[in-house]
Amino acid sequence: MAATGSVTPDTAAARLRARLETGRLLVTPSCGDALSARLIEEAGFDAMFMSGFAVSAHRIGAPDTGLISYGEMRDAVRDICAATRLPVLADGDTGYGNAMNVRRTVAGYARAGAAAVMIEDQLAPKRCGHTKGKLVVDRAEAVDRIRAADDARRDGGHDILIIARTDARHGHGLDEALTRAKAFHDAGADILFVEAPHDEPEMRRICTELPGWKMANMVEGGATPILPPDALAEIGYHHAAYPLTLMSAAMRAMQDALKALRDGRPPEGLMSFADLRRLVGFDAYYETESRYADRRPD
């Protein structure tokens, strides 16, 4: 909290916190690289989520099964935050080790520019929340991860929100997931995320029984029903992330274009070259370049 009479800093976390405090549902499409981050900002959203699933696919072409490292994820946070002015809520997976690793992850993500970091309770190697093979650590270790995350930002003076995720619904039931989420709130989490509820009644229990801000994860084809934003807000969610929507749309479009090229046909539905240049940043580059004299030799 800012001292009396001081000016609240204009950090990404402060802007995210102010947006959540409006009470309106925050809808965040998910990016996996700097270009998708730019497109989300161009589309007029208030914030974005950096999906570990998407980063793993974009950066190393591998599934979200714990193969990507802390360093690769931190570098993705840095590149994405440098490409957008919007707050970025970033996937920190399990914290990449024990409580001390969690501390390093939170500090590293904060220095890279993230507005929020998500820490989950899965056993390493973690899995995408809507795929098979998920296991969670015991409750005490799970809570320690969130305590370590909160300690890291306090000890380091980092302004970053903590999203605490539990995957306990899968193997231990919703009651255990809710118990963990409540303990995460007590340990300092700002946003609570119970992954993969199976139906709307479970979603309502999450929002009714848990304190603070709640996050919904809208995975097309996953275990949780895809509800429109108005319905999610009515249930009681404050943040809805769409981790795979953009990547799925882009992969389908690329497959269609590749098939056309392979079959000797011109691909359809392509963006104009002018729009492509603008979105990549050529127009802004040339405008900035024009401020400086051309000192190249004749």
Side-chain angles (χ1 to χ4, degrees), residues 14 106 113 275:
V106 171
D275 284 342

Side-chain angles (χ1 to χ4, degrees), residues 32-95:
D33 57 17
L35 180 58
S36 52
R38 280 191 172 183
L39 292 174
I40 293 169
E41 181 173 349
E42 170 81 9
F45 287 89
D46 293 335
M48 67 188 69
F49 191 82
M50 188 198 85
S51 159
F53 190 118
V55 172
S56 185
H58 281 278
R59 195 174 184 91
I60 64 173
D64 184 22
T65 52
L67 295 172
I68 196 164
S69 69
Y70 159 72
E72 290 166 313
M73 290 290 287
R74 181 209 54 214
D75 288 351
V77 175
R78 179 200 61 209
D79 293 345
I80 287 167
C81 290
T84 179
R85 295 166 294 182
L86 298 182
V88 177
L89 298 83
D91 190 349
D93 295 319
T94 63

Side-chain angles (χ1 to χ4, degrees), residues 98 125 137 191 294:
N98 62 17
V137 298
I191 301 171
D294 185 352

Side-chain angles (χ1 to χ4, degrees), residues 227-262:
L227 301 179
D230 287 349
L232 293 172
E234 186 275 325
I235 288 171
Y237 284 106
H238 304 88
H239 170 217
Y242 293 76
L244 304 182
T245 308
L246 292 188
M247 189 174 77
S248 179
M251 290 176 68
R252 172 58 61 85
M254 286 189 284
Q255 283 186 324
D256 290 345
L258 289 166
K259 184 175 186 300
L261 288 173
R262 185 195 64 201

Side-chain angles (χ1 to χ4, degrees), residues 139-140 142-151 153-154 162-165 177-193 209-214:
R139 192 190 303 167
V143 174
D144 272 349
R145 288 180 183 177
I146 304 307
R147 287 181 52 236
D150 187 47
D151 288 345
R153 64 177 173 179
R154 292 177 184 274
I162 296 168
I163 305 168
R165 165 178 161 173
L178 292 171
T179 298
R180 289 182 179 225
K182 291 172 185 175
F184 294 163
H185 180 268
D186 293 342
D190 302 287
I191 301 171
L192 301 179
F193 172 21
E209 298 183 23
L210 294 182
W213 292 319
K214 275 79 67 175

